[in-house]
């Protein structure tokens, strides 16, 4: 796993590598479904939104598979590519939706994913 998350919530990884992103601080009283999505610079969705049921716990973990991160392309003329991501917790019982932040990211900040080209194909 070569996925790094810094204090601002910026995720750095190699294309095609897998890793986990943990979302903490959920209200355990609510029965959230938590969604994770990645967009390119034109706000096009990359792949499908991922979702995890919190089941009234304080955290969830998204596992980014190698197939999923393989969708994050790095142009041949660039050393890396920057994507953005978002996280949202939805409680259908109370009809509420809350945008969440990782690290000390706040309103107006871009949640970035910095993707480096794959180093090796592997299995």
């Amino acid at each position: 796993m070569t996925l790094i998350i810094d204090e601002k919530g910026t995720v750095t990884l190699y294309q095609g590598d897998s890793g986990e992103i943990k979302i903490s601080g959920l209200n355990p009283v609510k029965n959230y479904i938590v969604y994770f999505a990645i967009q390119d610079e034109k706000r096009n969705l990359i792949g499908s939104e991922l979702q995890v049921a919190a089941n009234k716990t304080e955290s969830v973990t998204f596992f980014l598979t190698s197939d999923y991160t393989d969708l994050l392309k790095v142009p041949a003329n660039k050393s890396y590519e920057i994507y953005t991501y978002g996280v949202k917790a939805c409680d259908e019982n109370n009809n509420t939706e809350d945008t969440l932040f990782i690290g000390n990211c706040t309103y107006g900040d871009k949640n970035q994913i910095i993707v480096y080209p794959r180093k090796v194909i592997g299995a």
Side-chain angles (χ1 to χ4, degrees):
M1 271 193 248
T2 324
L3 186 148
I4 300 168
I5 304 172
D6 71 14
E7 68 281 347
K8 289 192 71 167
T10 299
V11 177
T12 304
L13 58 88
Y14 286 105
Q15 178 189 6
D17 279 4
S18 59
E20 296 179 351
I21 296 178
K22 185 175 183 177
I23 310 297
S24 301
L26 299 174
N27 182 344
V29 174
K30 296 189 176 190
N31 197 23
Y32 286 120
I33 303 290
V34 184
Y35 297 86
F36 177 88
I38 299 174
Q39 297 179 342
D40 66 15
E41 65 183 14
K42 295 180 182 176
R43 296 186 182 169
N44 296 312
L45 183 65
I46 303 298
S48 300
E49 284 191 1
L50 304 178
Q51 64 180 356
V52 175
N55 296 321
K56 296 188 176 185
T57 60
E58 294 181 4
S59 66
V60 297
T61 301
F62 288 97
F63 184 73
L64 306 185
T65 66
S66 59
D67 287 340
Y68 189 68
T69 68
D70 199 41
L71 299 172
L72 305 173
K73 306 295 184 192
V74 180
N77 63 338
K78 292 178 131 184
S79 56
Y80 61 88
E81 183 69 11
I82 297 176
Y83 292 85
T84 58
Y85 70 90
V87 181
K88 183 171 272 196
C90 299
D91 182 357
E92 294 179 3
N93 295 333
N94 295 326
N95 212 21
T96 59
E97 295 186 7
D98 298 316
T99 299
L100 305 177
F101 302 104
I102 298 175
N104 58 12
C105 191
T106 186
Y107 283 94
D109 292 343
K110 286 187 178 180
N111 302 354
Q112 294 186 328
I113 298 180
I114 300 171
V115 181
Y116 289 91
R118 79 171 63 254
K119 293 284 187 181
V120 68
I121 293 177

